[in-house]
PDB file of all heavy atoms in Angstrom:
ATOM      1  N   ARG B  11      22.551  40.159 -23.252  1.00 93.00           N
ATOM      2  CA  ARG B  11      21.559  40.004 -22.170  1.00 93.00           C
ATOM      3  C   ARG B  11      22.127  40.621 -20.897  1.00 93.00           C
ATOM      4  O   ARG B  11      23.336  40.768 -20.755  1.00 93.00           O
ATOM      5  CB  ARG B  11      21.250  38.524 -21.914  1.00 93.00           C
ATOM      6  CG  ARG B  11      20.729  37.766 -23.116  1.00 93.00           C
ATOM      7  CD  ARG B  11      19.317  38.173 -23.459  1.00 93.00           C
ATOM      8  NE  ARG B  11      18.855  37.464 -24.653  1.00 93.00           N
ATOM      9  CZ  ARG B  11      18.321  36.261 -24.632  1.00 93.00           C
ATOM     10  NH1 ARG B  11      18.177  35.609 -23.499  1.00 93.00           N
ATOM     11  NH2 ARG B  11      17.932  35.691 -25.757  1.00 93.00           N
ATOM     12  N   ASP B  12      21.221  40.906 -19.947  1.00 91.00           N
ATOM     13  CA  ASP B  12      21.719  41.521 -18.718  1.00 91.00           C
ATOM     14  C   ASP B  12      22.302  40.463 -17.780  1.00 91.00           C
ATOM     15  O   ASP B  12      22.074  39.277 -17.945  1.00 91.00           O
ATOM     16  CB  ASP B  12      20.648  42.384 -18.050  1.00 91.00           C
ATOM     17  CG  ASP B  12      19.570  41.583 -17.376  1.00 91.00           C
ATOM     18  OD1 ASP B  12      19.879  40.858 -16.416  1.00 91.00           O
ATOM     19  OD2 ASP B  12      18.417  41.685 -17.812  1.00 91.00           O
ATOM     20  N   SER B  13      23.075  40.935 -16.803  1.00 92.00           N
ATOM     21  CA  SER B  13      23.902  40.021 -16.010  1.00 92.00           C
ATOM     22  C   SER B  13      23.086  39.072 -15.140  1.00 92.00           C
ATOM     23  O   SER B  13      23.617  38.084 -14.650  1.00 92.00           O
ATOM     24  CB  SER B  13      24.881  40.815 -15.144  1.00 92.00           C
ATOM     25  OG  SER B  13      24.162  41.656 -14.269  1.00 92.00           O
ATOM     26  N   ARG B  14      21.786  39.344 -14.948  1.00 92.00           N
ATOM     27  CA  ARG B  14      20.974  38.407 -14.155  1.00 92.00           C
ATOM     28  C   ARG B  14      20.930  37.027 -14.788  1.00 92.00           C
ATOM     29  O   ARG B  14      20.710  36.030 -14.110  1.00 92.00           O
ATOM     30  CB  ARG B  14      19.529  38.914 -14.041  1.00 92.00           C
ATOM     31  CG  ARG B  14      19.317  40.076 -13.120  1.00 92.00           C
ATOM     32  CD  ARG B  14      17.842  40.404 -13.072  1.00 92.00           C
ATOM     33  NE  ARG B  14      17.278  40.479 -14.418  1.00 92.00           N
ATOM     34  CZ  ARG B  14      15.993  40.312 -14.702  1.00 92.00           C
ATOM     35  NH1 ARG B  14      15.134  40.071 -13.753  1.00 92.00           N
ATOM     36  NH2 ARG B  14      15.565  40.409 -15.938  1.00 92.00           N
ATOM     37  N   GLU B  15      21.097  36.973 -16.120  1.00 94.00           N
ATOM     38  CA  GLU B  15      21.000  35.686 -16.806  1.00 94.00           C
ATOM     39  C   GLU B  15      22.298  34.883 -16.723  1.00 94.00           C
ATOM     40  O   GLU B  15      22.353  33.761 -17.205  1.00 94.00           O
ATOM     41  CB  GLU B  15      20.633  35.899 -18.286  1.00 94.00           C
ATOM     42  CG  GLU B  15      19.231  36.432 -18.476  1.00 94.00           C
ATOM     43  CD  GLU B  15      18.730  36.301 -19.911  1.00 94.00           C
ATOM     44  OE1 GLU B  15      19.486  35.807 -20.772  1.00 94.00           O
ATOM     45  OE2 GLU B  15      17.589  36.707 -20.168  1.00 94.00           O
ATOM     46  N   PHE B  16      23.351  35.469 -16.130  1.00 96.00           N
ATOM     47  CA  PHE B  16      24.664  34.829 -16.129  1.00 96.00           C
ATOM     48  C   PHE B  16      25.116  34.531 -14.697  1.00 96.00           C
ATOM     49  O   PHE B  16      24.726  35.225 -13.751  1.00 96.00           O
ATOM     50  CB  PHE B  16      25.701  35.737 -16.791  1.00 96.00           C
ATOM     51  CG  PHE B  16      25.418  36.032 -18.238  1.00 96.00           C
ATOM     52  CD1 PHE B  16      24.554  37.057 -18.593  1.00 96.00           C
ATOM     53  CD2 PHE B  16      25.991  35.272 -19.241  1.00 96.00           C
ATOM     54  CE1 PHE B  16      24.278  37.332 -19.922  1.00 96.00           C
ATOM     55  CE2 PHE B  16      25.724  35.537 -20.575  1.00 96.00           C
ATOM     56  CZ  PHE B  16      24.874  36.574 -20.918  1.00 96.00           C
ATOM     57  N   THR B  17      25.956  33.506 -14.565  1.00 96.00           N
ATOM     58  CA  THR B  17      26.564  33.188 -13.277  1.00 96.00           C
ATOM     59  C   THR B  17      28.072  33.195 -13.458  1.00 96.00           C
ATOM     60  O   THR B  17      28.584  32.571 -14.396  1.00 96.00           O
ATOM     61  CB  THR B  17      26.122  31.791 -12.798  1.00 96.00           C
ATOM     62  OG1 THR B  17      24.711  31.696 -12.911  1.00 96.00           O
ATOM     63  CG2 THR B  17      26.528  31.569 -11.350  1.00 96.00           C
ATOM     64  N   TYR B  18      28.771  33.867 -12.549  1.00 95.00           N
ATOM     65  CA  TYR B  18      30.228  33.906 -12.586  1.00 95.00           C
ATOM     66  C   TYR B  18      30.777  32.549 -12.210  1.00 95.00           C
ATOM     67  O   TYR B  18      30.368  31.964 -11.207  1.00 95.00           O
ATOM     68  CB  TYR B  18      30.725  34.979 -11.607  1.00 95.00           C
ATOM     69  CG  TYR B  18      32.221  35.089 -11.544  1.00 95.00           C
ATOM     70  CD1 TYR B  18      32.927  35.676 -12.582  1.00 95.00           C
ATOM     71  CD2 TYR B  18      32.926  34.615 -10.450  1.00 95.00           C
ATOM     72  CE1 TYR B  18      34.301  35.774 -12.537  1.00 95.00           C
ATOM     73  CE2 TYR B  18      34.298  34.711 -10.390  1.00 95.00           C
ATOM     74  CZ  TYR B  18      34.986  35.293 -11.431  1.00 95.00           C
ATOM     75  OH  TYR B  18      36.348  35.391 -11.385  1.00 95.00           O
ATOM     76  N   ARG B  19      31.683  32.008 -13.032  1.00 93.00           N
ATOM     77  CA  ARG B  19      32.188  30.655 -12.767  1.00 93.00           C
ATOM     78  C   ARG B  19      33.709  30.619 -12.606  1.00 93.00           C
ATOM     79  O   ARG B  19      34.329  29.580 -12.791  1.00 93.00           O
ATOM     80  CB  ARG B  19      31.755  29.694 -13.876  1.00 93.00           C
ATOM     81  CG  ARG B  19      30.264  29.572 -14.031  1.00 93.00           C
ATOM     82  CD  ARG B  19      29.545  29.126 -12.785  1.00 93.00           C
ATOM     83  NE  ARG B  19      29.766  27.729 -12.489  1.00 93.00           N
ATOM     84  CZ  ARG B  19      29.350  27.112 -11.392  1.00 93.00           C
ATOM     85  NH1 ARG B  19      28.706  27.776 -10.474  1.00 93.00           N
ATOM     86  NH2 ARG B  19      29.581  25.835 -11.205  1.00 93.00           N
ATOM     87  N   GLY B  20      34.320  31.744 -12.290  1.00 91.00           N
ATOM     88  CA  GLY B  20      35.704  31.708 -11.847  1.00 91.00           C
ATOM     89  C   GLY B  20      36.749  32.018 -12.900  1.00 91.00           C
ATOM     90  O   GLY B  20      36.452  32.271 -14.061  1.00 91.00           O
ATOM     91  N   ASP B  21      37.975  31.975 -12.416  1.00 92.00           N
ATOM     92  CA  ASP B  21      39.162  32.308 -13.194  1.00 92.00           C
ATOM     93  C   ASP B  21      39.330  31.339 -14.366  1.00 92.00           C
ATOM     94  O   ASP B  21      39.311  30.124 -14.180  1.00 92.00           O
ATOM     95  CB  ASP B  21      40.376  32.204 -12.243  1.00 92.00           C
ATOM     96  CG  ASP B  21      41.631  32.790 -12.846  1.00 92.00           C
ATOM     97  OD1 ASP B  21      41.694  32.930 -14.080  1.00 92.00           O
ATOM     98  OD2 ASP B  21      42.551  33.108 -12.066  1.00 92.00           O
ATOM     99  N   ALA B  22      39.499  31.879 -15.562  1.00 92.00           N
ATOM    100  CA  ALA B  22      39.629  31.027 -16.752  1.00 92.00           C
ATOM    101  C   ALA B  22      41.080  30.763 -17.113  1.00 92.00           C
ATOM    102  O   ALA B  22      41.355  30.113 -18.114  1.00 92.00           O
ATOM    103  CB  ALA B  22      38.903  31.666 -17.937  1.00 92.00           C
ATOM    104  N   THR B  23      42.015  31.278 -16.315  1.00 91.00           N
ATOM    105  CA  THR B  23      43.426  31.112 -16.683  1.00 91.00           C
ATOM    106  C   THR B  23      44.074  29.939 -15.957  1.00 91.00           C
ATOM    107  O   THR B  23      45.210  29.596 -16.227  1.00 91.00           O
ATOM    108  CB  THR B  23      44.223  32.390 -16.348  1.00 91.00           C
ATOM    109  OG1 THR B  23      44.127  32.632 -14.936  1.00 91.00           O
ATOM    110  CG2 THR B  23      43.680  33.588 -17.094  1.00 91.00           C
ATOM    111  N   LEU B  24      43.340  29.322 -15.024  1.00 90.00           N
ATOM    112  CA  LEU B  24      43.929  28.226 -14.254  1.00 90.00           C
ATOM    113  C   LEU B  24      43.977  26.948 -15.086  1.00 90.00           C
ATOM    114  O   LEU B  24      43.094  26.691 -15.896  1.00 90.00           O
ATOM    115  CB  LEU B  24      43.098  27.966 -12.995  1.00 90.00           C
ATOM    116  CG  LEU B  24      43.005  29.108 -11.985  1.00 90.00           C
ATOM    117  CD1 LEU B  24      42.050  28.744 -10.866  1.00 90.00           C
ATOM    118  CD2 LEU B  24      44.380  29.433 -11.431  1.00 90.00           C
ATOM    119  N   THR B  25      45.027  26.160 -14.845  1.00 90.00           N
ATOM    120  CA  THR B  25      45.136  24.860 -15.494  1.00 90.00           C
ATOM    121  C   THR B  25      45.123  23.788 -14.415  1.00 90.00           C
ATOM    122  O   THR B  25      45.837  23.900 -13.418  1.00 90.00           O
ATOM    123  CB  THR B  25      46.458  24.762 -16.296  1.00 90.00           C
ATOM    124  OG1 THR B  25      46.536  25.905 -17.155  1.00 90.00           O
ATOM    125  CG2 THR B  25      46.485  23.504 -17.134  1.00 90.00           C
ATOM    126  N   ARG B  26      44.327  22.784 -14.608  1.00 92.00           N
ATOM    127  CA  ARG B  26      44.232  21.714 -13.616  1.00 92.00           C
ATOM    128  C   ARG B  26      45.600  21.034 -13.488  1.00 92.00           C
ATOM    129  O   ARG B  26      46.166  20.578 -14.489  1.00 92.00           O
ATOM    130  CB  ARG B  26      43.179  20.708 -14.072  1.00 92.00           C
ATOM    131  CG  ARG B  26      42.857  19.643 -13.058  1.00 92.00           C
ATOM    132  CD  ARG B  26      41.886  18.637 -13.667  1.00 92.00           C
ATOM    133  NE  ARG B  26      41.704  17.505 -12.781  1.00 92.00           N
ATOM    134  CZ  ARG B  26      40.752  17.441 -11.848  1.00 92.00           C
ATOM    135  NH1 ARG B  26      39.905  18.432 -11.703  1.00 92.00           N
ATOM    136  NH2 ARG B  26      40.641  16.386 -11.074  1.00 92.00           N
TER     137      ARG B  26
END
Side-chain angles (χ1 to χ4, degrees):
Chain B
R11 302 288 178 85
D12 74 64
S13 60
R14 286 183 312 157
E15 292 195 359
F16 298 84
T17 311
Y18 179 74
R19 300 302 287 174
D21 192 340
T23 60
L24 298 175
T25 308
R26 187 185 172 91

